[in-house]
């Protein structure tokens, strides 16, 4: 048996990955791309769509830096495979705000929620999700909701104050 010929005849052994066509929406803009079904959403956003506001950090879903909304649900883009986004709607940090800051971005600026900024995009997405579910979260609610988002600057005080200010605007304590 000639091992070299066997490898060339077996597409799996030659590492040829099939490509799939995906259609999805990011920040209300429709996209159609071809990619490997095992490509991660974080890489599609950053490398194929040039939406680099979503950060890569741990790559295993523990830090929340890559948080995005997938059909309105908070997910870690590093854990979402390409085939899972077909027909879905994604909101990234680029889809928050616009010409003016969104209220969450404004609160982060006012209350010192920005530290080095690396976790900020994921934090803001997580806060948007929290406030959509609970417009008047308590400090405990805020800490629980942001437990999956790590700030390596350990600047949680400013982040929590930011969300508390929004809670107060919405009638919370």
């Amino acid at each position: 048996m000639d091992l070299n010929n066997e490898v060339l005849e077996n597409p799996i052994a030659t590492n040829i990955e099939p490509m799939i066509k995906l259609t999805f929406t990011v920040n209300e803009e429709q996209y159609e791309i071809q990619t490997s079904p095992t490509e991660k959403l974080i890489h599609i956003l950053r490398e194929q769509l040039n939406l680099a506001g979503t950060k890569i950090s741990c790559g295993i879903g523990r830090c929340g830096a890559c948080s995005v909304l997938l059909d309105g649900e908070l997910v870690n883009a590093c854990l979402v495979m390409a085939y899972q986004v077909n027909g879905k709607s994604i909101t990234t940090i680029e889809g928050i705000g616009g010409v003016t800051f969104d209220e969450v971005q404004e609160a982060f600026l006012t209350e010192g929620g920005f530290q080095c900024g690396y976790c900020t995009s994921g934090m803001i997405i997580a806060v948007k999700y929290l406030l959509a579910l609970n417009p008047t979260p308590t400090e405990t609610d805020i800490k629980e909701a942001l437990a999956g988002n790590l700030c390596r600057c350990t600047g949680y005080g400013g982040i929590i104050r930011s969300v508390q200010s929004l809670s107060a605007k919405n009638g919370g304590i």
Side-chain angles (χ1 to χ4, degrees):
M1 170 172 31
D2 183 353
L3 187 57
N4 288 331
N5 283 340
E6 185 175 315
V7 169
L8 292 175
E9 292 171 10
N10 184 344
I12 294 173
T14 57
N15 292 325
I16 297 173
E17 252 187 296
M19 300 293 274
I20 59 173
K21 186 171 91 177
L22 300 174
T23 302
F24 53 94
T25 303
V26 179
N27 303 328
E28 300 182 8
E29 187 172 334
Q30 186 83 22
Y31 289 92
E32 183 176 302
I33 66 167
Q34 284 202 342
T35 190
S36 162
T38 60
E39 183 71 88
K40 293 180 177 180
L41 176 58
I42 185 68
H43 298 296
I44 293 170
L45 293 172
R46 292 180 57 85
E47 297 159 16
Q48 294 188 39
L49 306 183
N50 295 317
L51 296 170
T54 304
K55 303 299 183 202
I56 298 175
S57 187
C58 71
I60 56 173
R62 290 190 178 163
C63 72
C66 64
S67 296
V68 297
L69 299 176
L70 179 66
D71 278 352
E73 295 294 321
L74 185 66
V75 298
N76 291 318
C78 71
L79 298 179
V80 176
M81 307 304 272
Y83 71 89
Q84 295 175 298
V85 303
N86 196 34
K88 305 282 180 154
S89 177
I90 300 155
T91 303
T92 69
I93 191 65
E94 289 89 348
I96 306 294
V99 176
T100 60
F101 288 123
D102 173 84
E103 68 176 358
V104 177
Q105 294 168 317
E106 190 67 43
F108 269 61
L109 283 171
T110 304
E111 300 294 338
F114 285 96
Q115 309 297 312
C116 76
Y118 203 82
C119 72
T120 304
S121 59
M123 289 280 186
I124 288 174
I125 294 289
V127 170
K128 293 290 290 179
Y129 181 71
L130 167 63
L131 293 174
L133 297 177
N134 180 2
T136 58
T138 64
E139 184 172 340
T140 301
D141 296 334
I142 296 165
K143 288 179 178 176
E144 286 178 7
L146 297 180
N149 292 74
L150 301 179
C151 170
R152 289 186 168 77
C153 300
T154 66
Y156 293 101
I159 294 167
I160 292 169
R161 275 193 315 275
S162 302
V163 184
Q164 286 174 321
S165 73
L166 294 165
S167 178
K169 279 185 183 176
N170 294 332
I173 300 173

